[in-house]
Amino acid sequence: MKPRRRAPIWLMGMTMLPFGMVTGLILFTVPQLLAARHIPESEIAALTALAGSPMFWAFLVCPILDVRFSRRTYAMAGAVIAAALVPVAMWNLDHPALLGSLLLVAAFASMCMGNALGGWFSTVIDRKDEGRLSAWMNVGNIGGFGLLAATAIALIDALTLRVAAIVIGAAQLVPLLIYLFVPSIPPDARLARDSFVQFFAAIAGLFKRHEILVALAMFLLPSASFALTNVLGGLGGDFHASPQTIAFAGGTGAIVAGIAGSLALPRLARRAPLRPLYLGIGIVGSLFTLSLLLLPHEPWTFLTAIVGENVFQSLAITCSFAIAFETIGADNPLASTIFAVLMAAGNFPIDYMVAVDGHAYAWHGLAGSFIVDAGLGLISCLLLAGLLHWVRLKPGTAPLPEST
């Protein structure tokens, strides 16, 4: 029996605000501050890539989140560490090596917080609430990113860098109050007693489960990555968009689109099983990308592209959260481990498809990027649809979960 949930679903989702804030600091605010100090773009890009790398490797350490202490304890520890390191990092903008190291550890702590939350919440919500929780967790993530992106520079201008850094760090701690209203479940005592060999044997056993292998395949392929959201911001000139239009589209437009896409997922999930829905998002989104080829290179097309791609990407990310919760199931002793592995898999194609789209742009401009991004998405979705059909028909294979 799951314990009675005392916090509303939307409030539980706001626990992801600190994660979005750390991400916004690394990807948006710090590059701005470094550019103002005339740091070469190549160095900024290298530092940003290093600081953001825990998105892809933190899952290797996340099995520890399922043993010894409660996931609430791990989530709180990760949030506090990140909040403490953020101001220190901002005070060292003139020391890039130290700055990069501090941001790396802060990002790692924040990833651990997010994965601990995913494992924790999966044990205290009803299955019917998984779609809504997925939506609000992504809203919290997007909101934290947008909040920092919109206010950080203004805070620095108004309060000085040192004071603003303290305010930003302290703001990351406010959502921890929500933890008090969500029941916590202690870790499985058997895992705490097991030797490391037995523990990692249990983790290896995860990859024998068809539902996990299918979810990994869906997330690792670029079926619904919509990496163009990370490329289009630098291509506004191709649409003759002004700096103001670019800033509006990439700021307010992207945030509103991301929140709208996230909140649309629960409604769609009531009408279709999650895995086919994920592929459907990928197919429709890829067709939307191809339709942009028919539009003129005008500022309004740029705004349409930014908003549309962000809607589809937020839908896909929210759906991936829901699939992760569904895959974990009830009372799973390795909940945070599974959540961490699936989230890392989902982040991977967003990263490598940026490079692919960049090469496609060098090959044939905007059309090349749109055709390659959409084409690989469609091919991946068709392959995965065949995989889903094969798994369901394979003799002796348990059917995959069909809905939230």
Side-chain angles (χ1 to χ4, degrees), residues 327-349:
T327 302
I328 290 168
D331 304 319
N332 193 317
L334 294 173
S336 287
T337 299
I338 297 173
F339 190 84
V341 169
L342 294 180
M343 290 304 99
N347 286 325
F348 185 53

Side-chain angles (χ1 to χ4, degrees), residues 221-244:
L221 290 174
S223 50
S225 63
F226 299 104
L228 278 176
T229 56
N230 297 346
V231 174
L232 283 172
L235 303 179
D238 291 50
F239 295 90
H240 313 293
S242 67
Q244 292 78 15

Side-chain angles (χ1 to χ4, degrees), residues 1-351:
M1 295 289 294
K2 292 182 183 296
R4 182 176 296 275
R5 170 176 49 80
R6 293 186 292 273
I9 289 291
W10 71 266
L11 191 60
M12 292 172 67
M14 293 305 102
T15 56
M16 286 294 285
L17 279 166
F19 180 84
M21 292 177 70
V22 172
T23 305
L25 182 76
I26 292 172
L27 298 182
F28 192 87
T29 303
V30 166
Q32 279 186 298
L33 295 172
L34 292 178
R37 284 165 166 74
H38 306 293
I39 303 297
E41 180 60 33
S42 59
E43 292 186 25
I44 297 175
L47 186 148
T48 302
L50 173 66
S53 65
M55 287 193 296
F56 311 111
W57 56 259
F59 77 94
L60 296 170
V61 183
C62 284
I64 197 66
L65 302 177
D66 288 317
V67 297
R68 195 63 61 188
F69 302 108
S70 71
R71 298 180 184 107
R72 174 160 62 186
T73 300
Y74 283 118
M76 185 175 297
V80 169
I81 291 171
L85 290 177
V86 160
V88 181
M90 294 179 68
W91 296 337
N92 285 278
L93 292 170
D94 295 322
H95 303 89
L98 179 58
L99 170 65
S101 299
L102 290 168
L103 289 177
L104 174 69
V105 179
F108 170 68
S110 191
M111 280 297 302
C112 288
M113 179 207 73
N115 288 325
L117 289 173
W120 172 20
F121 291 168
S122 73
T123 65
V124 298
I125 62 168
D126 296 325
R127 188 170 181 178
K128 64 181 177 63
D129 291 325
E130 290 173 349
R132 288 197 300 134
L133 177 61
S134 302
W136 283 109
M137 286 182 73
N138 202 36
V139 168
N141 177 26
I142 294 170
F145 187 104
L147 179 65
L148 198 77
T151 63
I153 301 301
L155 278 175
I156 292 170
D157 291 340
L159 302 175
T160 74
L161 176 61
R162 180 166 292 274
V163 176
I166 295 173
V167 172
I168 291 171
Q172 292 176 234
L173 297 175
V174 175
L176 268 65
L177 295 173
I178 302 169
Y179 292 12
L180 300 176
F181 303 100
V182 182
S184 180
I185 295 177
D188 192 302
R190 293 168 299 174
L191 291 179
R193 291 194 301 265
D194 280 349
S195 68
F196 276 104
V197 173
Q198 292 169 311
F199 179 50
F200 284 104
I203 294 173
L206 294 175
F207 297 99
K208 298 179 181 178
R209 291 173 51 187
H210 286 95
E211 65 269 28
I212 290 181
L213 292 175
V214 169
L216 281 173
M218 294 178 71
F219 295 162
L220 287 170
L221 290 174
S223 50
S225 63
F226 299 104
L228 278 176
T229 56
N230 297 346
V231 174
L232 283 172
L235 303 179
D238 291 50
F239 295 90
H240 313 293
S242 67
Q244 292 78 15
T245 300
I246 295 172
F248 174 79
T252 303
I255 292 168
V256 172
I259 292 174
S262 299
L263 296 180
L265 189 278
R267 290 177 176 271
L268 296 175
R270 288 197 290 268
R271 293 171 170 79
L274 287 175
R275 288 162 181 80
L277 175 59
Y278 184 82
L279 299 183
I281 293 168
I283 291 171
V284 175
S286 295
L287 294 176
F288 167 79
T289 300
L290 290 176
S291 73
L292 295 171
L293 295 170
L294 304 176
L295 302 180
H297 291 184
E298 297 292 339
W300 64 268
T301 303
F302 175 73
L303 180 61
T304 301
I306 288 284
V307 170
E309 294 292 329
N310 274 280
V311 166
F312 284 110
Q313 187 182 66
S314 64
L315 266 172
I317 291 173
T318 305
C319 194
S320 71
F321 280 3
I323 291 172
F325 285 133
E326 186 178 77
T327 302
I328 290 168
D331 304 319
N332 193 317
L334 294 173
S336 287
T337 299
I338 297 173
F339 190 84
V341 169
L342 294 180
M343 290 304 99
N347 286 325
F348 185 53
I350 296 176
D351 182 62

